[in-house]
Amino acid sequence: MKQLIVHCGPDSTQMALLEEGKLVEYAAERSQKRGLVGSFFKGKVMNVIPGMQAAFVDIGQKKNAFLYIDDLLHPHLEKQPKQKPPISDLLKPGQELILQVVKEAIGNKGARVTTHYSLPGRWLVYMPSAGYVAVSKKIGQEEERSRLREIGEELRTPEEGLILRTVAEYAEKEAVAEDLAQLREQWGTILLKGEQASAPAALHHDLSMVQRLMRDVYSPATDELIMDCPEQAGEATAFLAAMLQGKQPNVRIYKADIPLFDYYGIKQQLDKDFQRKVWLPGGGYLVWDTTEALTVIDVNTGKFTGGDNLEDTVFRTNVEAAREIARLVRLRDTGGIIIVDFIDMSSEHHRTAVCDTLEASLNGDRTQHHILGWTKLGLLEMTRKRMREQPIF
């Protein structure tokens, strides 16, 4: 069961996602400032940098956006040239083109943009010119994967690309087709605006933070949405009812005197989970350090002495740490290179089990991530896509 807790303040909206009572995601969005990831702009090329194979594009934000050549070539790898042409052959200063933001401006860097367009719906992601069908890897049954792939191939035109999402498992063909029709209409509107607008111009904004989460993870059979703002709760109910095709969403308005985040213990949990030193339930602890280049997580046994011997104690601490790291990586929205210094284990079986535990615990993470394995120094390497600034509360 998931609970989506939404607090509507005068200046911002805060969201917390609980899974089986545990806090796994947190985000805040200022009332007057919506994130840019997923939004479309008509941009004007300002500078082309041949040495970087990149260009800087004015999309109407404080900093020019960054467009790398890989994000300019055809989205299907097989249709790209074997040798990348100079970017100066493809773009000239003053040229205008439609772009989509894939990464927020972070620090001194502007937003990263692409021409590999994608529009997420409830059941699928629509890519107007990708030319292939893919199915979420989290759908495990091969029979269901084949069924969804056949539906996608039947519904798409030759140039279109579709990714059937995890929530599309066992979805009816008619529901997928309706989702696709809405996304095609949305893309047509973006193209029309692009023809009429002069750069720089905003063409389409993605949904709000709360709507994105409802679209991506909400299941009416098991999940609950709790909000302390009746007006926004009404809007959320209407949004979910339209998305769920008439199924009654489980939306509850919170009216008690105790602040919503205090009642569910979210504020106390945030205070604890965003510390540099985070205690594990069994008595061990993590030390979490973030630098410009990477995040380093150190695992320590601390007060944990529950094993039968040293190797067992170390293994049990590391397994518990792996589960907690997976939760905290999602909660903190940690991105980039992540290095985990687990306590040394002599057993290769134990090392594999810890790695497998981390992988399994990250199954619910919607952000792209890769566990690369153990280094020669016994450190675990992983990467996680960084798209937004880390949350501040």
Side-chain angles (χ1 to χ4, degrees), residues 10 16 31 41 83 100 115 139 152 170 201 233 244 267 309 323 376:
S31 303
F41 293 85
Q83 187 169 353
Q100 184 177 22
T115 60
I139 297 177
Y170 306 119
L244 300 171
K267 188 176 184 305
N309 52 57
R323 295 193 184 102
K376 292 181 180 179

Side-chain angles (χ1 to χ4, degrees), residues 261-276:
F261 270 31
D262 288 344
Y263 180 82
Y264 283 94
I266 294 167
K267 188 176 184 305
Q268 300 91 317
Q269 187 86 29
L270 288 170
D271 290 338
K272 179 175 72 73
D273 288 340
F274 277 79
Q275 296 290 328
R276 178 173 180 262

